[in-house]
């Protein structure tokens, strides 16, 4: 909207807009805001380029003819030894360049270029033989009808078995702790959250709830609510109680939501 004002040499509107954009960029949190900032930078750079093109300086322009003359002088041209054919032509600038002229120019120009080291083999070059053509292996077509049984890799099977064994051992350990505590003090109810929550690890707390769920599912323990509507857990006394619960379908599945803030 203020294109002409932005390009004016007496105006600092472009600089002020860039400073304001830097302040706004500190509060960028969304992808759309970052895209708008990038779009503004493109627009500001185009305006800056136009503003720079309109600046008038007193610098001298590059004269290719004068540069060539200075270059020949640096290379050591000898204008005394001129060929006879060149001496007859009018306006022809001739001369004689020594054999080391281009080498002198190359050594001087080499100072202003950073060149990567040349690549070479430590033990000579390798013989490049043509690649051996690979034999095309035809895939076996699947038999129509029944699907073939896929074989599980041995390593993956071992990992699953070890993970399952670790889960079973942890469930048995927690069940043993629950039964021991209830046996020592059967009159005091055991708080479910006191049992599963690890005050030093949120991940360990989630694992404890996961392992206790197996104990509840298999009927080795049951959950109830106390007077404050908080869950308490107690182990089942015998297998008969578990069978009665299974037949009457008294057990229900419950999903517990526990966020990190609630755990803290």
């Amino acid at each position: 909207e203020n294109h002409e004002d932005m390009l004016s040499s007496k105006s600092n509107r472009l600089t002020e807009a860039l400073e304001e954009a830097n302040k706004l960029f500190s509060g960028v949190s969304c992808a759309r805001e970052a895209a708008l900032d990038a779009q503004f930078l493109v627009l500001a750079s185009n305006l800056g380029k136009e503003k720079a093109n309109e600046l008038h300086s007193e610098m001298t322009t590059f004269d290719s003819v004068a540069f060539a003359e200075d270059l020949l002088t640096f290379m050591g041209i000898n204008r005394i030894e001129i060929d006879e054919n060149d001496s007859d032509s009018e306006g022809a600038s001739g001369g004689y360049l020594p054999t080391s002229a281009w080498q002198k120019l190359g050594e001087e120009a080499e100072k202003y270029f950073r060149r990567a080291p040349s690549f070479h083999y430590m033990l000579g070059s390798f013989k490049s033989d043509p690649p051996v053509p690979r034999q095309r292996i035809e895939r076996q077509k699947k038999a129509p009808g029944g699907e073939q049984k896929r074989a599980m890799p041995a390593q993956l099977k071992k990992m699953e078995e070890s993970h399952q064994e670790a889960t079973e051992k942890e469930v048995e350990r927690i069940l043993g702790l629950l039964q021991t505590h209830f046996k020592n003090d059967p009159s005091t109810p055991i708080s479910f959250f006191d049992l599963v929550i690890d005050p030093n690890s949120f991940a360990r707390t989630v694992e404890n709830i996961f392992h206790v769920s197996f104990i509840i599912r298999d009927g080795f323990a049951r959950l109830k609510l106390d007077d404050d509507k908080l869950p308490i857990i107690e182990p089942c006394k015998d297998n008969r109680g578990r069978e009665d619960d299974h037949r009457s379908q008294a057990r229900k599945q419950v999903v517990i939501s526990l966020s990190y803030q609630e755990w803290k």
Side-chain angles (χ1 to χ4, degrees):
E1 294 177 355
N2 303 322
H3 186 269
E4 298 298 332
D5 190 14
M6 287 285 186
L7 296 181
S8 177
S9 59
K10 299 180 180 180
S11 175
N12 293 327
R13 293 289 300 277
L14 185 59
T15 305
E16 295 174 357
L18 287 172
E19 293 177 353
E20 183 179 358
N22 289 334
K23 296 179 182 179
L24 294 176
F25 185 72
S26 60
V28 169
S29 60
C30 301
R32 178 57 181 166
E33 298 172 354
L36 289 175
D37 182 76
Q39 184 178 359
F40 166 75
L41 287 179
V42 173
L43 180 60
S45 61
N46 292 333
L47 291 174
K49 181 180 178 181
E50 294 182 18
K51 192 172 183 179
N53 291 333
E54 293 182 0
L55 293 177
H56 298 283
S57 60
E58 300 299 331
M59 296 177 61
T60 58
T61 58
F62 176 74
D63 189 356
S64 59
V65 178
F67 176 75
E69 290 293 336
D70 294 340
L71 193 61
L72 290 173
T73 304
F74 173 78
M75 296 170 66
I77 188 172
N78 187 0
R79 299 185 182 276
I80 299 177
E81 298 180 7
I82 303 175
D83 295 339
E84 296 178 357
N85 297 331
D86 295 339
S87 62
D88 297 338
S89 60
E90 295 180 0
S93 59
Y96 172 74
L97 283 176
T99 56
S100 61
W102 291 105
Q103 182 179 358
K104 182 179 180 181
L105 177 63
E107 292 176 353
E108 182 66 22
E110 187 179 5
K111 302 177 183 178
Y112 304 98
F113 291 92
R114 292 184 177 181
R115 185 177 60 181
S118 60
F119 179 77
H120 64 279
Y121 295 97
M122 297 179 63
L123 299 177
S125 60
F126 295 96
K127 295 181 180 180
S128 58
D129 297 331
V132 180
R134 296 182 180 180
Q135 296 181 357
R136 185 175 181 181
I137 302 176
E138 297 182 357
R139 297 184 179 179
Q140 297 180 357
K141 297 182 179 180
K142 296 183 179 179
E147 296 180 356
Q148 296 180 356
K149 187 177 181 181
R150 297 180 180 179
M152 182 180 294
Q155 185 177 2
L156 181 60
K157 188 174 181 180
K158 290 181 180 179
M159 290 176 62
E160 290 186 353
E161 290 178 354
S162 61
H163 179 71
Q164 184 177 1
E165 291 177 358
T167 303
E168 293 178 354
K169 292 180 180 179
E170 188 66 18
V171 170
E172 293 176 358
R173 186 185 70 85
I174 295 178
L175 178 59
L177 294 175
L178 182 64
Q179 292 175 347
T180 302
H181 183 79
F182 188 79
K183 184 178 180 181
N184 295 334
D185 193 3
S187 60
T188 303
I190 304 174
S191 172
F192 172 75
F193 292 112
D194 289 344
L195 175 68
V196 298
I197 288 181
D198 187 342
N200 299 321
S201 174
F202 175 71
R204 184 63 179 170
T205 301
V206 176
E207 290 182 357
N208 292 338
I209 297 176
F210 172 71
H211 292 143
V212 172
S213 65
F214 287 100
I215 300 176
I216 304 298
R217 183 200 65 180
D218 297 336
F220 291 102
R222 61 169 62 93
L223 282 176
K224 298 189 299 183
L225 297 179
D226 57 5
D227 297 337
D228 298 329
K229 300 299 180 180
L230 294 176
I232 59 176
I233 186 172
E234 63 179 9
C236 296
K237 297 181 180 180
D238 51 6
N239 296 332
R240 184 180 301 175
R242 294 195 294 270
E243 293 177 358
D244 294 341
D245 290 344
H246 182 70
R247 292 174 183 176
S248 62
Q249 297 180 355
R251 288 183 285 122
K252 300 178 181 179
Q253 293 184 354
V254 179
V255 179
I256 298 178
S257 175
L258 182 64
S259 64
Y260 184 81
Q261 289 76 14
E262 293 172 344
W263 169 78
K264 291 291 289 186

